[in-house]
Amino acid sequence: ADVQIEQRTIVMGEKQQKIRHWLSSPDPSSNHNAACKARQANTGEWFLKSHEFEEWKMTSRSFLWLHGIPGCGKSVLCSTALEEVKFQYKSSPTVAIAYFYFDFNDTEKQRLDKFTHSLIEQLAWQSAKALACLESLFSRCQDGKQQPTQDGLEVALQKVLNEFGETFIILDALDECKEREELLLLLKNLTSWGARRLHVFSTSRRERDIEEALENLVTSEICLQSALVNVDIDTHISERLQNDLKLKRWPANVREEIKTTLMEGAQGMFRWVVCQLDVLRKCLNVDALRKALNSLPKTLDETYARILLSIDEDYSQDTFRILQWLMYSARPLRIEELVEVIAIDTKQSRFNPKNRLPDPRDLLTICSSLVTTAAVTVNDDNGAHNETIELMLAHFSIKEYLISDRIRTGIAFQYNLQSGGEEEITQSCLTYLLHFQRGILNSENLNTFPLALYAAEHWCRHFRAMKGSDQATKLSMQLFNGDAFKNWIRLFDPDRPLEGTNMKRNITSIASPIYYASLEGLYEPLMLLLEKGADVNAQGGRYGNALQAASAQGHETIAVLLLEKGADVNAQGGKYGNALQAASAGGHETIAALLLQKGAIISGVQQEDVLSMDPYNYPKSFADRSPTSEKPSPYGINYQTQPTQLTSWTNSRDNSSTLRPPAAHLPSNSQTSYVNDQPGEKHTPKSLGWPPNTELVKMYKLILQKDNLHLEILKMSDISFNTPERVYLDIPA
């Protein structure tokens, strides 16, 4: 019995690890730890003792919104609230706590799906029943072979919340979410689900769309005005003057002068005070100090402009490039990665290791108060925990200023970062990868080139995002045509992104350059490769050929180019069998239509006519196929709006396995339900008598038009059978 229990525990542990890997939730603890570190002792007490905060904790289904101007300390107060709740309820097993910090420095922490992943994962590990809900979602997604839809995530989140007697959800910086409208709708849904004793706390700037969306949700709010924050600012200044080695050297009367002047100019902005103290600590005599105090900037914009203009001219270009990388990078960057950036000369397309900064922390000196560091724990491929230091912009207001029209027309205009960032990073990544043309890189010295993995994984993303660059295209062709190509794929294979680095990989297992150009949607390099005679039908790669790769990824212009250059539209092999199957599996209707126009074959029937892809225009019946102008189809075919009757479902692996839902039809305009012969009466798969665990993901419709069969992909991302095979709709002619 003991052996069985031990084995079961091991299996569950492995499954949980798979689920964690599948969700790939961003870790909000790094933000929380940084905010806690920034908090001075004894600050925020007014907030914890406020009537609004006490009422929020004690009242069921409460929503507290804390809002204020940039730099007033919202994130620090959010961390204060979280620590208080964790301390108060640490011994309550029925109370769950989850939190999230939206973060302008991290693209993963700006996404709605990643936020939802994080909430579900945090809550799931706090209850066996909640974990069962997550495991059920994992199973419905074919044990992690598919990613859940946002609707599926929200259903799972609702179920998880219902497993707790009381739940606290604490969110920072709603305004830093890229999908803000969808986030606000999720918060509305979350508060309407009726979860027992749910408490939501959020911070943001007071922006109109947020205020309007939260108007009917919040039960109380706090505006961080100067009068409220000044007590904490006073405490912060006093602590710095007492403990900072370069500030505490001044006599008591001078320190009091500093404090008085800063309190008068702060106007509720913690960030402004921090920047001024950083400048004042550089003063070497009292005259210089008083001169600085008498000319303090009045706004954050003016503060940032002065910081930029004070940077030594010898390092201004390095600062500019570091800021570009921090603004446009695909993920947060380690400080040693940015040291490599300094050693890349994009004008000469050359990387010189001798130009590395001897001490990575010199970056903090070069960029002054504009950047900060955070210690982050990461897990390597062997499961070991390693701590690394990330460099990031010190505040969201810095990013806003650097890409604003205000800097473009101001005194620090030379640091305007509105454009050019994607091109800079693309060229830097390619230049870095081209340094490994002659086998310089191997498993033993990989750690001595810290930027290699970032460059390999993300250069294509930056290439697609830039607005065209002859130099970047030239560098990409050098990569595709040189020895560095195999090193790129060994570092990171976009065809198999989960497999990690393998510097000993056999070159014969690496697909052709046109395959990877097609897979990654790199139009200009692909066109040049084809013009130079690359085989458009070369075999290899997970998808078998370039056309199937482009079709699977939804790269329409790439598919058009490949077909123009003679790609075989019916080439067989690869993950999906052919390009049409790949486009259909990904829901890429336009590409599927294009492939059919070019002669793609369905079930042995040649398609010669244009495909109807409009999910609202169906033939009234197979006996009545006359066109009508009632609703025009985007592909020039018009049908009556009456849905076609569904007669049977067929599993493509076993044609004898047929499901016959009674009197069911294809989806109506709702696209998420089924209608029977009684108008308005809706059915789910269960009510139609389909087998248990029938999970719908994709659905295809074969329609008869002019004696030919045609395929229509229905936009039903949550509809398909829980099998790895494609499932078709079989309608006998």
Side-chain angles (χ1 to χ4, degrees), residues 227-516:
L228 291 175
V229 185
N230 279 346
V231 175
D232 288 344
I233 292 178
D234 186 292
T235 303
H236 175 76
I237 296 173
S238 297
E239 193 278 336
R240 286 286 299 271
L241 292 173
Q242 183 178 347
N243 297 311
D244 190 299
L245 290 176
K246 292 188 177 182
L247 292 172
K248 71 177 185 178
R249 61 185 173 175
W250 300 111
N253 65 314
V254 176
R255 295 202 302 272
E256 187 61 31
E257 186 179 344
I258 294 174
K259 181 176 178 180
T260 301
T261 305
L262 292 181
M263 287 301 299
E264 289 174 354
Q267 298 181 17
M269 291 184 289
F270 257 105
R271 179 68 195 152
W272 182 88
V273 170
V274 170
C275 290
Q276 309 320 319
L277 286 170
D278 287 344
V279 172
L280 294 175
R281 68 193 303 272
K282 298 176 184 178
C283 296
L284 301 179
N285 58 59
V286 73
D287 287 340
L289 177 69
R290 285 185 170 137
K291 183 179 178 180
L293 286 174
N294 290 330
S295 59
L296 291 176
K298 291 181 169 49
T299 65
L300 280 177
D301 277 6
E302 190 179 345
T303 299
Y304 298 146
R306 287 197 189 184
I307 293 171
L308 290 167
L309 293 176
S310 69
I311 293 170
D312 191 307
E313 187 176 348
D314 291 339
Y315 300 110
S316 62
Q317 188 59 34
D318 290 339
T319 301
F320 183 81
R321 295 184 63 215
I322 292 300
L323 293 175
Q324 279 186 311
W325 274 76
L326 294 179
M327 289 279 293
Y328 292 99
S329 63
R331 60 161 172 76
L333 296 163
R334 303 192 313 275
I335 194 167
E336 58 267 26
E337 290 176 318
L338 287 161
V339 168
E340 301 293 277
V341 171
I342 297 295
I344 299 172
D345 184 346
T346 52
K347 292 181 180 179
Q348 300 295 324
S349 299
R350 183 177 58 195
F351 169 65
N352 186 355
K354 294 180 180 179
N355 288 335
R356 291 167 171 157
L357 294 174
D359 184 355
R361 297 189 69 84
D362 285 341
L363 288 173
L364 293 170
T365 304
I366 293 174
C367 298
S368 188
S369 301
L370 300 173
V371 301
T372 188
T373 59
V376 179
T377 301
V378 294
N379 299 328
D380 61 21
D381 294 337
N382 299 319
H385 301 291
N386 299 310
E387 187 172 278
T388 184
I389 303 297
E390 292 179 350
L391 189 74
M392 60 191 67
L393 293 174
H395 197 264
F396 188 30
S397 57
I398 298 172
K399 179 175 183 177
E400 289 183 311
Y401 173 67
L402 292 173
I403 60 174
S404 70
D405 290 334
R406 305 188 302 276
I407 188 174
R408 184 170 54 83
T409 58
I411 58 175
F413 62 89
Q414 63 268 42
Y415 288 96
N416 170 32
L417 297 181
Q418 284 184 339
S419 61
E422 299 288 0
E423 182 178 353
E424 156 66 25
I425 298 179
T426 302
Q427 292 187 29
S428 295
C429 288
L430 286 167
T431 299
Y432 198 80
L433 291 172
L434 287 169
H435 182 68
F436 310 125
Q437 279 282 32
R438 296 180 177 86
I440 298 172
L441 193 65
N442 53 57
S443 302
E444 287 70 34
N445 67 4
L446 180 59
N447 289 336
T448 65
F449 295 98
L451 191 61
L453 291 178
Y454 182 95
E457 184 173 353
H458 297 294
W459 80 264
C460 294
R461 171 193 181 278
H462 292 294
F463 189 101
R464 292 192 301 269
M466 68 180 187
K467 296 181 179 179
S469 166
D470 291 341
Q471 180 62 14
T473 300
K474 178 182 176 181
L475 292 171
S476 70
M477 291 302 294
Q478 292 178 24
L479 179 71
F480 279 122
N481 290 317
D483 291 338
F485 171 71
K486 61 177 181 288
N487 276 330
W488 165 39
I489 302 303
R490 287 167 173 167
L491 279 166
F492 176 80
D493 187 351
D495 202 33
R496 304 177 185 277
L498 299 180
E499 291 189 1
T501 299
N502 180 6
M503 298 309 299
K504 297 181 180 180
R505 180 173 172 181
N506 193 312
I507 191 173
T508 59
S509 67
I510 298 176
S512 66
I514 73 155
Y515 177 86
Y516 284 102

Side-chain angles (χ1 to χ4, degrees), residues 38 52 60 78 160 265 306 325 361 381 393 484 521 538 585-586 705 726:
E52 290 85 356
S60 179
C78 182
V160 166
R306 287 197 189 184
W325 274 76
R361 297 189 69 84
D381 294 337
L393 293 174
Q705 179 212 343
R726 291 303 102 201

